[in-house]
Amino acid sequence: MGRSPRTRVRGPSFNRLIPNIMTMLGLCAGLSGMRFALEHQFEPAAVALLIAACIDGLDGRIARLLKGATRFGAEFDSLSDFVCFGVAPSFVLLMWSLEHAGRYSFVPCILFTVCMALRLARFNASLDDDDKPEYSYSFFTGVPAPAGAGLVLFPVFLGLEADRLHAEGLAAFARLPLVSAVCLIVTGLLLVSTLPVWSFKNFKVPARYVLPLMLGTGLYAALLVADPWGALAGAGLLYIAILPFSRRSYHRLKLAAEEMSETVEEEPA
C-alpha cells in the first residue's frame, strides 16, 4: 500500500512566532507585577516589571534577527508596553504609598498613564516619518517607555533598599505620598517632552573608552546581583544625570549638520 499524500500545513513558521511569544510573556510579567502589588508584595512586583523590561528589549531584536518582524508584532508590542510600563508602574505606586493619601492621590497615576499612552502613540507615528535627519536616529524624543517605568519606580527601589539596610528614616521618606506623586508627574512630563535622549542603538564608543566601559558594565552587573535595589535606584539617578549631556550632544550634531548644509548650498554650481 502506498503512503497517503502529506498535507502541507499553512501558516507562519515557528521562528516568526517566537517574538510574539516573548511579547506575550512580557505582558504576563507586567500583569503579574500588578497582582503582586495588589497583595503588597513589592519585591516580586518590581522583579516582574524588570523581567518585562528585559523581554521588551529583546523581542524586537530577535524579530529582526529571525526576519520575523510583522505589523501585528509591532502593534502587539506597543500594547504590551502600554500595560507593562504605563499601567503597571502607576498601579504599583498607588499600592505603595498613594492608596490612602486622599481623594486626589489617583490623579498623578492617571497623568503618568496618559503621558505614557501619548508617548507610545508619538513613537509609532514617527516610524513612518522618512524626513527626519540622519543624526536624529540616534536619539529618542522624550524618555523611552522602559526607562520611564524604571524612573517612576525609584521610590520602590529606594524603599526596598532602605528596608534591607534597616534605615527607618529613609524608608519612611520613600513611602511618602508626595515622593511618589512627584516621581509620577515629573516622569510623565519627561515622557511627552521633546527632550532628545540617547537611544544607544547607534551610539559609537571611542576606542579608548571600550575597555573602561566593559569593566564598568561588569562591576555594575556584580553590584546588581549583590545589591539589586540600591543598584537600580542608583541607575535611575545616573540616567537623570546624563539627560543634559544627551541634549547637548543632539544640539551639537544639529549645528554641525546645519553648517554642512549651508556650506553645500553656498558652493557654486
Side-chain angles (χ1 to χ4, degrees), residues 145-200:
L151 290 176
V152 85
L153 288 175
F154 175 78
V156 178
F157 298 148
L158 184 64
L160 293 176
E161 176 65 13
D163 291 340
R164 190 187 69 84
L165 297 175
H166 303 290
E168 296 181 0
L170 186 60
F173 172 78
R175 290 183 179 272
L176 286 176
L178 181 62
V179 175
S180 297
V182 168
C183 286
L184 285 164
I185 294 171
V186 172
T187 307
L189 295 178
L190 287 175
L191 289 169
V192 297
S193 69
T194 57
L195 181 70
V197 181
W198 279 318
S199 68
F200 298 104

Side-chain angles (χ1 to χ4, degrees), residues 7 13 28 37 59 61 87 92 105 116 130 145 165 187 208 214-215 225 264 269:
T7 58
S13 63
C28 293
D59 57 1
R61 290 170 174 80
V87 179
V92 170
S105 61
M116 182 64 75
D130 298 329
L165 297 175
T187 307
R208 63 180 181 274
M214 296 180 66
L215 290 175
V225 173
V264 172

Side-chain angles (χ1 to χ4, degrees), residues 73-194:
E75 296 296 336
F76 184 33
D77 182 68
S78 181
L79 292 172
S80 175
D81 288 349
F82 174 68
V83 174
C84 296
F85 308 134
V87 179
S90 60
F91 184 80
V92 170
L93 282 185
L94 178 68
M95 305 305 297
W96 171 258
S97 63
L98 296 172
E99 185 179 10
H100 304 293
R103 67 172 69 181
Y104 298 110
S105 61
F106 193 56
V107 174
C109 300
I110 294 177
L111 176 66
F112 173 80
T113 302
V114 170
C115 289
M116 182 64 75
L118 295 173
R119 193 259 177 271
L120 291 171
R122 183 177 63 184
F123 176 77
N124 293 340
S126 67
L127 295 177
D128 299 327
D129 185 8
D130 298 329
D131 298 329
K132 294 192 300 184
E134 185 177 354
Y135 62 85
S136 65
Y137 287 97
S138 298
F139 296 86
F140 291 117
T141 302
V143 172
L151 290 176
V152 85
L153 288 175
F154 175 78
V156 178
F157 298 148
L158 184 64
L160 293 176
E161 176 65 13
D163 291 340
R164 190 187 69 84
L165 297 175
H166 303 290
E168 296 181 0
L170 186 60
F173 172 78
R175 290 183 179 272
L176 286 176
L178 181 62
V179 175
S180 297
V182 168
C183 286
L184 285 164
I185 294 171
V186 172
T187 307
L189 295 178
L190 287 175
L191 289 169
V192 297
S193 69
T194 57

